[in-house]
Amino acid sequence: MDQKLKIEMYKTILLSRRLEERIAELIKAGRVGGFMHAGVGQEALQVAAIANLRPDDYLMYAHRGVAYWVARGVPLEAILCDLAGREGGTNRGKGGVMRVVYPKLGVLGESGTLGGCFPIATGAGLSIKVRGGDQVVLCFFGDGTSNRGTFHESLNFCAVRKLPVVFFCENNGWAVSMPTERSTAVKDISARAAGYNVPGVTVDGNDPEAVYEAVREAVARARRGEGPSLLEGKTYRLWGHWVGDPENYRSREEVEKHWRRDPLPRYEQKLMGENILTEKMKSEFEAEVKTRIDKAVDFMLKQPFPAPETALEDVFA
């Protein structure tokens, strides 16, 4: 992996983290009424995986954090307006932060039902095959969602038809308040790939370079027409399920242990050890990120809320 890509991934992880921190401040201050499922701790996995996509590929994101859209290139202003329910976003203030849709970069939105992402990703993969293209679909989901019937049906269909879909499980150990070991029979979600005769790979989800390489191989396989892969990144959500979650289902000791493996400072230290990142560069990046976020927040706060009559618009094609 070249140095330029490493720095770009680091900057995107940093931007995603700082944006989410700012959003949390806005929510707690009552300036934004949006509801956000925090992704702090999982940005490295999301950013590194998406770094493998071409502009014409498709993305099905999951319900955790903003890094998916930041990494894909959706403007920060649009992300914030979607979160705040204001005009100026991708869904004109009517969908919320879990309904970001950006067709020009293949961002297909998200199903309101966990597990609804799988048939949509499968349909997009089938469309690619019917058209004879070499695009891929990257579909994120959580460990709890892997227990839905749509996961197994979709993975089987993709395997049979050799559709170009990369299924990526963000295994953070918790399905809201349910620990994975109490809900899931297998230790590794990737082990389920064997039932569908597709590759199954588990990587350290807090290591962006390991994630990047695993997704790179799966994407290349899909582009060659060899079908889907099932990837799993072991990670952890350092914040609660939502901003304001009391988190009374897990111990402080557990959370503190995982903060010591926070992927952002961990990657910073790695890049500094390789003489790719310096303290001066880090300070410059922090300043650049703050400027971008300040500008986006100012834009969002100036946007109006959608007029009531627009609720009747855009309801069908």
Side-chain angles (χ1 to χ4, degrees), residues 77-78 80-82 84-94 299-307 310 313:
E77 290 81 358
L80 284 167
C81 286
D82 282 344
R86 294 175 182 255
E87 293 275 4
T90 69
N91 53 52
R92 298 182 59 197
K94 296 189 287 185
F299 176 88
M300 179 271 291
L301 291 174
K302 292 173 183 175
Q303 298 305 300
F305 292 101
T310 63
E313 299 174 1

Side-chain angles (χ1 to χ4, degrees), residues 81 119 165 174 191 199 210 254 288 293:
C81 286
V165 182
W174 289 93
E254 176 184 327
E288 178 186 327
I293 293 173

Side-chain angles (χ1 to χ4, degrees), residues 1-256:
M1 185 184 299
D2 64 41
Q3 294 187 7
K4 181 179 178 182
L5 177 57
K6 292 182 179 184
I7 285 293
E8 285 304 313
M9 289 201 304
Y10 166 72
K11 288 174 66 176
T12 306
I13 294 167
L14 178 67
L15 175 58
S16 301
R17 174 69 61 89
R18 298 294 178 252
L19 178 61
E20 202 152 295
E21 290 170 346
R22 181 69 66 85
I23 291 168
E25 290 174 6
L26 291 167
I27 292 173
K28 291 173 182 176
R31 303 192 72 187
V32 169
F35 185 86
M36 184 180 72
H37 296 96
V40 169
Q42 298 181 212
E43 308 97 334
L45 180 153
Q46 297 161 358
V47 168
I50 292 169
N52 285 279
L53 298 185
R54 297 190 322 220
D56 62 335
D57 289 328
Y58 295 109
L59 172 66
M60 289 298 300
Y61 54 82
H63 288 69
R64 187 144 312 283
V66 302
Y68 308 107
W69 313 310
V70 174
R72 193 60 174 141
V74 179
L76 303 189
E77 290 81 358
I79 295 170
L80 284 167
C81 286
D82 282 344
L83 172 72
R86 294 175 182 255
E87 293 275 4
T90 69
N91 53 52
R92 298 182 59 197
K94 296 189 287 185
V97 77
M98 291 192 296
R99 307 291 178 271
V100 174
V101 179
Y102 207 65
K104 68 172 71 175
L105 287 173
V107 180
L108 300 179
E110 177 58 285
S111 168
T113 301
L114 287 167
C117 58
F118 302 122
I120 299 170
T122 300
L126 181 60
S127 78
I128 293 168
K129 186 158 189 178
V130 167
R131 289 183 280 111
D134 71 338
Q135 298 153 287
V136 301
V137 185
L138 177 58
C139 179
F140 288 96
F141 60 100
D143 46 285
T145 313
S146 72
N147 295 322
R148 301 298 297 264
T150 47
F151 166 75
H152 299 276
E153 294 163 14
S154 298
L155 186 52
N156 183 68
F157 188 89
C158 288
V160 169
R161 299 293 186 96
K162 294 195 179 302
L163 302 186
V165 182
V166 177
F167 294 92
F168 202 135
C169 178
E170 299 179 63
N171 187 347
N172 63 23
W174 289 93
V176 187
S177 58
M178 173 64 73
T180 307
E181 62 266 21
R182 289 183 56 194
S183 66
T184 306
V186 293
K187 179 183 176 183
D188 297 322
I189 305 301
S190 63
R192 291 175 161 168
Y196 305 102
N197 196 30
V198 301
V201 178
T202 294
V203 297
D204 178 358
N206 288 351
D207 181 344
E209 294 179 20
V211 171
Y212 179 87
E213 290 301 328
V215 176
R216 183 181 64 81
E217 291 180 17
V219 164
R221 181 175 185 274
R223 291 203 203 283
R224 293 194 299 266
E226 296 173 15
S229 299
L230 174 59
L231 308 182
E232 173 189 22
K234 301 282 192 181
T235 184
Y236 195 81
R237 57 173 167 83
L238 297 173
W239 287 6
H241 179 60
W242 71 91
V243 176
D245 177 5
E247 299 185 66
N248 52 13
Y249 47 83
R250 61 183 186 177
S251 69
R252 289 295 91 200
E253 292 76 17
E254 176 184 327
V255 178
E256 288 168 5

